[in-house]
């Protein structure tokens, strides 16, 4: 923290971005090698990345499917499970809208259930109340990194013959009761967007049982019965058939080369995220204006996001003004997320009032996501802490 000669807070000189990727020379070399190869789209590197990702999760080699996004993974999962017109899928309002979008795109209906006020993940009790005879699946979103209550969701799925599709865009490396996220539900979708715990620039992975992944693979690339690598390599044949009306969601070998190099650094990345989150927790715990994230003792969070909640009744400004004050101090904070039911399309289509899901709506108004990424220095962390304290102390009631 910088102070002047009177001990007053002084903003950092450069802007601290919210979550830039951590790219090293190994990643650059791997991508250059892919560019110099004879294969750029889905090919041997993609297969190697799938196998390595499956092995990291202690899954069979055929238990992972590399895709262009987590959104693509969720869409493919719904299609593979035959979810469509007339079906309902339960999901939380506190998530990125892509989760609801893919349900809509399949012709099904997204049904929102409120979140747990402590963890901000989908509330099992609210989910149970939302189940109807038309419900086909539940999508627990592992919001910010701590896993949702998967034992409760497994019980609901078993009792009502439902499918579990986990949105693990935030949850790479997270564990629930010693089980790695990616090994519990029927399908689990991960994200490799640049802000995520590892990146392929854009990209995602779908995990599941090998037979389910084999079916999903057909949906991921035009419904072809063989992929391009098999058709155009010496292992393949020119002949192919379209067996389902599939999508174009495949990952390229350029992306997979980056992903393999990033996966090799995942343990390093996660340790740094844990340390940064720990320093935030130590600083913010017990402050009357601040509420650190809740992490239950039987989960291992991925620390994808650090979502600090403001006790607004102690402040003279609202969350939007806090964000502006942090920006003025060169701290790049963000908000995750604008709840699904507040977006015009969903608000108007389903006539959802802002307070239809009161916990999600209330918590949304007091959330701030602080910078959290492996390249953060100790000085960066101290600058964030000092800026937060300066704002809340300056504007305390």
């Amino acid at each position: 923290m910088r102070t002047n000669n009177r001990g007053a807070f002084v903003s950092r000189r450069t802007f601290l971005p919210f979550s830039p990727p951590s790219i090293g020379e190994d990643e650059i070399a791997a991508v250059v090698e892919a560019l110099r190869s004879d294969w750029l789209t889905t090919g041997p590197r993609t297969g190697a990345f799938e196998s390595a990702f499956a092995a990291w999760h202690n899954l069979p080699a055929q238990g992972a499917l590399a895709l262009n996004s987590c959104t693509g993974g969720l869409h493919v999962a719904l299609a593979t499970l035959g979810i469509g017109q007339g079906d309902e899928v339960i999901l939380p309002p506190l998530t990125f809208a892509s989760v609801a979008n893919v349900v809509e795109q399949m012709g099904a209906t997204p049904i929102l259930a409120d979140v747990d006020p402590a963890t901000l993940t989908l509330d099992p009790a609210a989910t149970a109340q939302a189940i109807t005879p038309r419900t086909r699946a539940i999508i627990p979103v592992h919001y910010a990194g701590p896993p949702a209550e998967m034992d409760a969701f497994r019980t609901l799925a078993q009792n009502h013959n439902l499918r579990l599709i986990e949105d693990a865009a935030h949850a790479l490396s997270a564990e629930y009761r010693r089980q790695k996220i990616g090994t519990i539900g029927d399908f689990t979708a991960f994200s490799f967007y640049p802000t995520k715990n590892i990146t392929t620039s854009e990209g995602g992975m779908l995990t599941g049982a090998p037979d389910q992944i084999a079916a999903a693979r057909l949906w991921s690339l035009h419904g072809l019965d063989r992929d391009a690598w098999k058709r155009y390599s010496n292992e393949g044949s020119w002949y192919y058939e379209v067996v389902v009306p599939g999508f174009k969601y495949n990952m390229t070998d350029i992306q997979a080369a980056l992903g393999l190099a990033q996966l090799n650094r995942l343990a390093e990345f996660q340790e740094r995220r844990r340390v940064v989150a720990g320093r935030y927790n130590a600083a913010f715990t017990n402050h009357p204006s601040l509420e650190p994230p809740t992490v239950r003792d039987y989960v291992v969070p991925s620390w994808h996001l650090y979502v600090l909640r403001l006790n607004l009744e102690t402040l003279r400004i609202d969350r939007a003004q806090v964000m502006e004050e942090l920006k003025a101090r060169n701290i790049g904070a963000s908000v995750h997320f604008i709840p699904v039911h507040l977006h015009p399309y969903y608000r108007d289509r389903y006539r959802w009032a802002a307070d239809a899901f009161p916990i999600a709506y209330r918590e949304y108004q007091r959330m701030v996501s602080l910078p959290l990424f492996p390249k953060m220095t100790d000085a960066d962390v101290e600058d964030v802490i000092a800026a937060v304290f300066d704002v809340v102390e300056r504007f305390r009631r």
Side-chain angles (χ1 to χ4, degrees):
M1 179 181 74
R2 281 180 283 277
T3 57
N4 62 21
N5 56 11
R6 297 179 181 176
F9 171 83
V10 177
S11 295
R12 55 183 285 135
R13 295 183 180 88
T14 59
F15 185 76
L16 180 67
F18 169 67
S19 185
S22 298
I23 303 296
E25 292 303 318
D26 286 349
E27 286 93 331
I28 294 169
V31 170
V32 170
E33 183 180 359
L35 289 169
R36 287 176 172 157
S37 74
D38 291 332
W39 203 268
L40 301 184
T41 187
T42 308
R45 287 174 177 80
T46 305
F49 185 34
E50 290 172 343
S51 296
F53 194 86
W56 197 90
H57 287 83
N58 300 315
L59 290 168
Q62 299 304 313
L65 170 62
L67 299 162
N68 72 340
S69 63
C70 180
T71 304
L74 294 171
H75 202 180
V76 164
L78 290 168
T80 303
L81 296 173
I83 293 170
Q85 195 71 39
D87 296 332
E88 295 177 350
V89 178
I90 299 173
L91 56 126
L94 197 57
T95 184
F96 191 58
S98 61
V99 188
N101 289 350
V102 294
V103 174
E104 287 271 312
Q105 288 157 7
M106 292 303 299
T109 302
I111 301 297
L112 302 186
D114 216 340
V115 296
D116 181 313
T119 65
L120 304 180
T121 58
L122 185 62
D123 181 13
T127 301
Q129 293 178 353
I131 293 171
T132 76
R134 294 182 296 279
T135 306
R136 288 284 311 282
I138 303 169
I139 304 182
V141 177
H142 302 303
Y143 175 79
E149 292 295 332
M150 293 309 298
D151 280 352
F153 289 118
R154 278 191 291 202
T155 298
L156 284 175
Q158 290 166 1
N159 290 346
H160 297 275
N161 192 29
L162 306 177
R163 311 310 290 266
L164 276 181
I165 304 170
E166 297 174 69
D167 181 334
H170 295 179
L172 179 57
S173 83
E175 296 181 15
Y176 175 82
R177 299 190 187 277
R178 300 183 182 274
Q179 281 188 276
K180 286 188 175 182
I181 296 301
T183 65
I184 300 172
D186 294 285
F187 283 114
T188 306
F190 294 88
S191 174
F192 306 136
Y193 187 72
T195 60
K196 296 304 193 292
N197 294 39
I198 67 171
T199 185
T200 59
S201 74
E202 294 276 2
M205 191 76 74
L206 189 66
T207 61
D211 60 333
Q212 292 281 60
I213 291 297
R217 194 175 296 277
L218 296 175
W219 282 98
S220 72
L221 187 59
H222 302 302
L224 300 179
D225 65 345
R226 63 192 70 213
D227 59 31
W229 173 250
K230 291 178 182 177
R231 284 195 289 139
Y232 294 133
S233 73
N234 60 6
E235 302 173 17
S237 164
W238 61 270
Y239 185 76
Y240 65 91
E241 294 179 327
V242 172
V243 295
V244 294
F247 313 114
K248 181 71 167 67
Y249 284 152
N250 57 303
M251 177 178 282
T252 71
D253 261 24
I254 299 171
Q255 293 170 296
L258 177 55
L260 279 163
Q262 287 266 292
L263 189 61
N264 288 336
R265 300 178 64 195
L266 180 56
E268 164 201 339
F269 291 162
Q270 289 308 115
E271 176 59 20
R272 184 57 184 165
R273 285 178 177 274
R274 185 191 65 79
V275 169
V276 173
R279 294 183 71 167
Y280 283 160
N281 284 339
F284 300 139
T285 297
N286 297 324
H287 191 286
S289 295
L290 304 172
E291 183 179 334
T294 296
V295 178
R296 289 170 174 151
D297 58 9
Y298 48 83
V299 307
V300 175
S302 67
W303 289 118
H304 168 58
L305 297 175
Y306 189 92
V307 180
L308 185 66
R309 285 184 270 181
L310 306 168
N311 294 324
L312 292 171
E313 67 278 6
T314 70
L315 301 175
R316 292 181 285 110
I317 57 176
D318 63 15
R319 189 270 312 281
Q321 293 169 297
V322 170
M323 297 286 290
E324 289 302 313
E325 292 292 333
L326 289 173
K327 185 178 180 181
R329 291 159 177 75
N330 276 327
I331 302 300
S334 191
V335 174
H336 296 84
F337 293 98
I338 300 170
V340 171
H341 72 290
L342 300 185
H343 291 294
Y345 174 83
Y346 290 101
R347 179 195 66 207
D348 297 345
R349 178 171 173 79
Y350 295 103
R351 301 182 183 276
W352 281 322
D355 60 356
F357 309 99
I359 297 171
Y361 183 57
R362 181 190 71 209
E363 300 306 310
Y364 156 66
Q365 296 175 83
R366 66 188 193 103
M367 298 186 310
V368 176
S369 296
L370 298 181
L372 176 55
F373 54 93
K375 290 194 300 185
M376 284 186 78
T377 66
D378 290 349
D380 291 335
V381 178
E382 291 305 313
D383 284 345
V384 174
I385 292 169
V388 170
F389 281 150
D390 188 57
V391 172
V392 298
E393 292 301 326
R394 183 166 300 191
F395 295 97
R396 283 182 71 180
R397 289 188 183 277

